[in-house]
């Protein structure tokens, strides 16, 4: 257990509305990540952060923004949700284990955009 | 071409069988290799990790990396119904950004 919580766990929203997902960690890890998981595509990186106010884009960043004002919180925002953003969103942290950096995941947020 | 290729299955085996799960990749700079297990409606759970080439064993699980062939494998011995899940491979060049396979769905039949 890497002490990662995500909120909300489920959300249904309408096209065009803004949505913010929250990831919270309790262990002060430097690296945090947002992924989306879709059938046939697996896990794809949206954005990641390597410190407070330090973020970078991943493979599928269009339509998403992130913010990290505190070490423990990493927010993902969909400025204007579209149906193509219906997905399961996972937050992850990078943690050193046995000399190797490994990723640990939160429980996920299931987002439906109608 | 995707960075990581993984056969989605589904794979169905009887209890006690040896299961072999595989991934291939195209980036020869990958040096961190992971296997995750994901139960339905849950987050991925780290199962095994290896750095560079070679084998690693943990109980009933063995991870193998063949960098010359750009091929990694996960073997599950004496498979149990509780092993029924989706298995994801993941790999990274730097240990900071990871690329995931699409996952292989495994069912172990009692």
């Amino acid at each position: 257990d890497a002490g990662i919580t995500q909120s909300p766990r489920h959300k249904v929203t309408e096209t065009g509305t803004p949505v913010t997902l929250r990831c919270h960690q309790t262990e002060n890890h430097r690296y945090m990540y947002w992924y989306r998981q879709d059938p046939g595509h697996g896990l794809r990186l949206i954005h990641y952060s390597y410190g407070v106010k330090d973020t970078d884009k991943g493979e599928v960043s269009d339509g998403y923004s992130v913010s990290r004002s505190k070490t423990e919180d990493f927010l993902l925002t969909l400025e204007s949700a579209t149906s193509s953003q219906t997905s399961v969103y996972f937050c992850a942290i990078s943690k050193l284990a046995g000399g190797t950096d490994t990723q640990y995941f939160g429980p996920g947020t299931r987002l439906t955009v109608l | 071409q995707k960075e990581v290729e993984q056969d989605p299955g589904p794979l169905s085996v009887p209890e006690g069988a040896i299961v072999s799960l595989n991934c291939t990749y195209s980036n020869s700079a990958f040096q961190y290799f992971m296997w995750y297990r994901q139960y339905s409606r849950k987050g991925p759970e780290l199962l095994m990790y290896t750095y560079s080439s070679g084998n690693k064993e943990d109980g009933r699980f063995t991870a193998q990396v063949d960098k010359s062939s750009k091929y990694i494998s996960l073997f599950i011995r004496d498979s149990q119904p509780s092993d029924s899940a989706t298995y994801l491979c993941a790999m990274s060049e730097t240990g900071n950004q990871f690329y995931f396979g699409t996952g292989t769905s495994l069912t172990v039949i009692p």
Side-chain angles (χ1 to χ4, degrees):
Chain A
D1 183 5
I4 305 170
T5 57
Q6 293 184 233
S7 60
R9 295 293 313 279
H10 302 271
K11 186 169 183 67
V12 179
T13 190
E14 294 189 348
T15 298
T17 59
V19 176
T20 295
L21 308 182
R22 180 179 182 243
C23 177
H24 179 78
Q25 57 141 333
T26 59
E27 298 182 353
N28 287 324
H29 294 290
R30 181 181 171 198
Y31 281 82
M32 298 183 75
Y33 306 80
W34 277 108
Y35 289 89
R36 60 178 291 174
Q37 188 175 37
D38 305 287
H41 291 280
L43 281 159
R44 292 180 292 173
L45 182 65
I46 304 171
H47 282 280
Y48 68 101
S49 170
Y50 46 95
V52 173
K53 299 192 177 171
D54 292 324
T55 64
D56 207 348
K57 296 179 180 180
E59 180 186 356
V60 290
S61 59
D62 287 348
Y64 301 95
S65 62
V66 290
S67 66
R68 192 165 178 203
S69 58
K70 297 185 290 184
T71 300
E72 58 265 36
D73 290 326
F74 192 31
L75 304 181
L76 177 70
T77 298
L78 290 65
E79 300 289 348
S80 178
T82 67
S83 59
S84 64
Q85 294 175 312
T86 292
S87 186
V88 182
Y89 290 86
F90 288 101
C91 174
I93 57 95
S94 189
K95 181 175 177 178
L96 201 61
T100 303
D101 279 308
T102 55
Q103 294 206 332
Y104 292 82
F105 287 83
T109 294
R110 191 168 294 269
L111 177 67
T112 302
V113 183
L114 301 175
Chain B
Q1 184 188 6
K2 288 184 179 179
E3 295 270 8
V4 180
E5 298 280 355
Q6 184 175 9
D7 186 338
L11 190 59
S12 184
V13 301
E15 183 175 353
I18 297 174
V19 176
S20 173
L21 304 167
N22 311 295
C23 289
T24 59
Y25 62 94
S26 56
N27 186 348
S28 58
F30 285 152
Q31 52 183 348
Y32 298 89
F33 303 93
M34 319 286 172
W35 285 96
Y36 288 84
R37 177 175 61 197
Q38 186 175 22
Y39 293 113
S40 181
R41 295 185 171 260
K42 300 288 187 183
E45 167 194 11
L46 181 66
L47 204 55
M48 300 278 287
Y49 61 88
T50 53
Y51 174 74
S52 193
S53 281
N55 295 359
K56 186 172 183 178
E57 187 173 321
D58 184 2
R60 296 185 295 110
F61 299 90
T62 299
Q64 289 185 351
V65 175
D66 182 348
K67 291 189 74 177
S68 61
S69 302
K70 300 195 187 79
Y71 188 88
I72 69 170
S73 300
L74 178 71
F75 297 95
I76 307 174
R77 291 183 298 280
D78 187 24
S79 56
Q80 302 295 310
S82 59
D83 295 328
S84 298
T86 296
Y87 290 80
L88 304 165
C89 62
M91 43 200 84
S92 173
E93 183 178 339
T94 61
N96 294 327
Q97 283 200 61
F98 284 80
Y99 295 87
F100 286 80
T102 53
T104 300
S105 175
L106 171 68
T107 300
V108 180
I109 302 167

